[in-house]
Amino acid sequence: MTTTPPPPPPAGPTGTGPLTPTDHRAFAFLGQVNSSLRQCLCTLARHGVALRRDAPERARLLLDTVRPWPLYKGGQFLFDLMEWEDLMVDGDPPPVMSTERIVAACTLPVRLAAAATEEAPAVTKLVPGQRTTAALGLPLSLLTTTARSTLLSAAQDLTDLLGPGADPDDDAGYATDPEPVTDDTGAELPPLEAGFYLYEDIALGALSVLGPLLADHAPTDPAPPA
């Protein structure tokens, strides 16, 4: 009994099985997101190693301060759940991401957090929705527009952080430069140290890199430490 051999796979992009060219382009984008996330996390961790090495007392006090906070504990949970350590230490160390790029991507979230936590104006006459308008300083009719604009801006900032650099001469704004942006001082950072201190190093690096941005949004009369 003879059998007919299967036909050869078609040539071109469709010759890789059931995946379509769109699938491959989607995976290319997601791969870029993973690479940029890895680059950012490794850069922050290396800043943390430098801080722990050069200013151990300051590093200890910073960690003692943030350890009880839900944001720190939640970050530790996500770090372990998503196995980001495996992402960071798998393969050769990535190039250092520039401080300016990290700060630029975090500026909008920090501004939103500052606006959400600042004290709202006093409300003298309670009417439906007055607390909301007083807190935001906007008419209720503009709330939907503000929310939409905020989400779009946040998405654009995340794209700037996680995507490759854009060609300033490209009017369409498409990402054309695959090379990562690096700091001139990146070569001075110590190498990544995998292990028990990795998440702590990321936290220290974030406080070090984003410290000036956070300080700019501090209350004018902060409460004294307890």
Side-chain angles (χ1 to χ4, degrees):
M1 176 177 168
T2 60
T3 57
T4 303
T14 59
T16 56
L19 296 181
T20 68
T22 299
D23 294 332
H24 290 290
R25 291 178 61 83
F27 283 138
F29 168 72
L30 294 176
Q32 174 63 36
V33 171
N34 276 338
S35 297
S36 294
L37 175 62
R38 178 173 183 258
Q39 184 185 1
C40 181
L41 291 174
C42 290
T43 298
L44 292 178
R46 292 176 65 182
H47 279 284
V49 173
L51 181 59
R52 188 158 48 85
R53 178 197 63 188
D54 299 334
E57 183 65 16
R58 179 187 171 208
R60 184 187 65 81
L61 290 175
L62 287 173
L63 288 174
D64 288 346
T65 301
V66 299
R67 277 195 185 103
W69 294 355
L71 281 176
Y72 180 88
K73 296 178 179 179
Q76 176 76 73
F77 174 76
L78 291 177
F79 183 80
D80 295 335
L81 180 67
M82 296 184 176
E83 299 182 348
W84 278 350
E85 180 176 2
D86 294 342
L87 172 70
M88 295 172 64
V89 301
D90 183 24
D92 296 331
V96 173
M97 181 176 284
S98 70
T99 297
E100 291 78 8
R101 185 174 174 187
I102 298 174
V103 171
C106 294
T107 297
L108 179 60
V110 170
R111 287 178 178 173
L112 291 176
T117 55
E118 68 181 358
E119 185 176 355
V123 179
T124 56
K125 183 179 179 181
L126 297 179
V127 296
Q130 188 169 2
R131 290 187 179 89
T132 304
T133 56
L136 296 176
L138 294 171
L140 285 175
S141 61
L142 296 180
L143 290 181
T144 301
T145 302
T146 302
R148 183 183 299 112
S149 175
T150 298
L151 290 174
L152 291 175
S153 297
Q156 184 59 56
D157 276 344
L158 288 175
T159 301
D160 293 342
L161 172 63
L162 299 177
D167 185 352
D169 297 327
D170 187 356
D171 294 336
Y174 296 120
T176 57
D177 183 6
E179 295 297 325
V181 181
T182 59
D183 256 339
D184 292 337
T185 59
E188 301 175 3
L189 291 176
L192 188 71
E193 294 184 4
F196 180 76
Y197 295 104
L198 187 56
Y199 176 71
E200 292 184 353
D201 286 339
I202 294 175
L204 287 173
L207 290 170
S208 176
V209 172
L210 300 177
L213 175 64
L214 301 177
D216 286 343
H217 293 82
T220 54
D221 295 318

